[in-house]
Amino acid sequence: MPLGAPTSEPVRLEAAFSPVPFAELPGWGDDDHLAAFDAFVRSAPALRDAAGRAPGKTKAAGAALVAAAEAALAKASKVSTRDAARAFFEGMFAPHRVEHHGAEGLLTGYYEPVLDAARQASGAYRVPIYRRPPDLVNLVGEAERGALADGLTHARRTASGIEPYATRAEIEGGALAGQGLELVWLDDPVDAFFLHVQGSGRVRLSDGRSIRITYDGKNGHPYTSIGRYLIDSGAMAAEEMSLDALKAWLTAHPDDARAVMQQNTSFVFFRELGGETDAPLGALGTGLSDGRSLAVDTGYHALGTPIYVSAPTLKPWGESGFARLMIAQDVGSAIRGPERGDIYFGSGANAGRLAGSTKHPGRFFVLLPHGA
């Protein structure tokens, strides 16, 4: 069995895409289609460059989606109103309801934390954030790491071949010490853990500068929800669980927190971004857009696909409900299923509060380009 293969074939829901008219999309006419168009245009060059690269069980962007991206780039200077953007989507795409027999769709949220850090270990700054080790190799493409997360997605190359990389507990126990891989140092292991979960962050250094760091690979071990672990172990009630509640529990139980966090054997490596983006990068390598970027399961949806998301009980900005056109621009190890989505809420503490309180049912209407 290949090193990266799961021990048994994971159960994957069958899903179908049933065409529906735009009039059946709840709140379609009230959405800000120009914001969605801007997000789509932002992804278009990367979508064009990545077309056809997704092997295995992930969906690659087809020629029709790439053609739509090219059309958006060509029309970008002329599409300057919501009506014009709506006309673009209605002219280039047809909406399809995602049909399946699994549990109802689920939406969660993620964000970019803003943290204080130091370049060198000193004082309270003793928690390292590591660069990608030189012996780390990908067993699957980065856009596939969510869809194929049942097995190892990355591994360690040795003189004798490939072997599983060190776990979170082994790395925190010193497996990477002395290699000069420390990118920055944080003062709180809980903050470091959630930086790994979010996959990116803005870091304020002691000299007053601010840098952005982003995901650059992982040790390849499957992601485990420590929130679910605490619920299953009876330490927290399911109805109490949220990002803030989880952080509060870990902070209040420092003697147990490390062992709990190490239940998640997955460990993330980072790189520093230069001036290439004003936002965190998604799996397409393009900047994410607040409230418009969606992490999806690429076993069902090609990156770059417009997806209209309807979640009547989700009201992050005080609307009657969440109904907006988003762009599939990212992936996540916990994002599995045809109607499983992770909404990018933006940067900072307020975005973190929105992301941490988001766990709502939702419906997907996938916009497939004509000719797909």
Side-chain angles (χ1 to χ4, degrees):
M1 181 180 293
L3 181 64
T7 55
S8 62
E9 182 67 16
V11 176
R12 300 288 286 175
L13 285 174
E14 292 186 2
F17 297 85
S18 302
V20 296
F22 279 100
E24 288 193 14
L25 275 57
W28 172 256
D30 298 324
D31 191 21
D32 181 357
H33 300 87
L34 184 59
F37 180 81
D38 290 342
F40 186 62
V41 169
R42 196 170 194 173
S43 284
L47 179 62
R48 175 187 57 204
D49 295 342
R53 292 183 188 171
K57 298 178 182 178
T58 59
K59 287 185 67 64
L65 182 57
V66 175
E70 296 279 14
L73 285 171
K75 297 179 179 180
S77 62
K78 300 177 182 178
V79 176
S80 58
T81 66
R82 293 185 179 188
D83 288 343
R86 177 178 175 177
F88 171 83
F89 286 114
E90 292 182 351
M92 297 293 298
F93 296 90
H96 290 70
R97 173 77 173 91
V98 178
E99 305 282 0
H100 59 87
H101 295 291
E104 65 181 346
L106 176 64
L107 294 167
T108 51
Y110 69 116
Y111 74 108
E112 180 188 46
V114 179
L115 303 168
D116 292 324
R119 284 291 194 186
Q120 304 295 328
S122 63
Y125 296 101
R126 298 290 177 179
V127 183
I129 299 300
Y130 287 108
R131 297 179 177 88
R132 181 185 177 111
D135 57 354
L136 183 72
V137 294
N138 284 47
L139 300 180
V140 303
E142 289 295 355
E144 305 174 73
R145 58 186 164 88
L148 302 180
D150 296 280
L152 292 179
T153 59
H154 301 68
R156 179 172 177 258
R157 185 180 299 280
T158 70
S160 58
I162 301 255
E163 64 182 38
Y165 217 86
T167 64
R168 172 177 295 275
E170 291 167 340
I171 292 172
E172 292 180 352
L176 297 180
Q179 299 184 37
L181 295 173
E182 296 85 357
L183 180 61
V184 294
W185 299 78
L186 302 184
D187 61 355
D188 186 343
V190 175
D191 282 344
F193 180 85
F194 283 102
L195 175 63
H196 285 217
V197 173
Q198 303 304 323
S200 65
R202 275 195 295 131
V203 174
R204 297 176 299 212
L205 300 172
S206 56
D207 62 5
R209 292 187 304 121
S210 180
I211 63 172
R212 178 168 271 127
I213 60 176
T214 192
Y215 171 95
D216 196 26
K218 56 182 288 189
N219 64 349
H221 293 277
Y223 173 85
T224 298
S225 168
I226 64 168
R228 172 51 56 186
Y229 171 78
L230 288 174
I231 292 170
D232 291 344
S233 65
M236 292 186 69
E239 59 271 18
E240 298 174 351
M241 183 58 67
S242 69
L243 181 62
D244 287 343
L246 180 55
K247 285 183 176 180
W249 190 96
L250 294 170
T251 301
H253 299 81
D255 294 337
D256 299 320
R258 185 177 186 186
V260 170
M261 291 186 288
Q262 289 177 353
Q263 295 296 317
N264 179 24
T265 56
S266 175
F267 192 94
V268 172
F269 305 107
F270 292 83
R271 67 183 175 93
E272 181 178 342
L273 291 174
E276 62 248 60
T277 181
D278 58 355
L281 300 181
L284 268 175
T286 191
L288 300 177
S289 299
D290 299 6
R292 293 290 168 175
S293 294
L294 188 69
V296 299
D297 185 339
T298 53
Y300 299 96
H301 309 292
L303 287 175
T305 301
I307 299 177
Y308 191 73
V309 177
S310 175
T313 63
L314 174 57
K315 305 173 184 179
W317 293 287
E319 306 111 327
S320 58
F322 189 92
R324 58 173 55 194
L325 183 58
M326 307 188 72
I327 310 300
Q329 293 178 320
D330 211 354
V331 300
S333 298
I335 309 305
R336 311 295 305 280
E339 284 192 298
R340 178 71 175 91
D342 211 19
I343 300 168
Y344 175 68
F345 279 101
S347 180
N350 186 55
R353 284 189 290 271
L354 294 175
S357 62
T358 299
K359 190 175 183 181
H360 292 73
R363 291 186 296 164
F364 281 13
F365 298 88
V366 178
L367 271 60
L368 299 180
H370 296 302

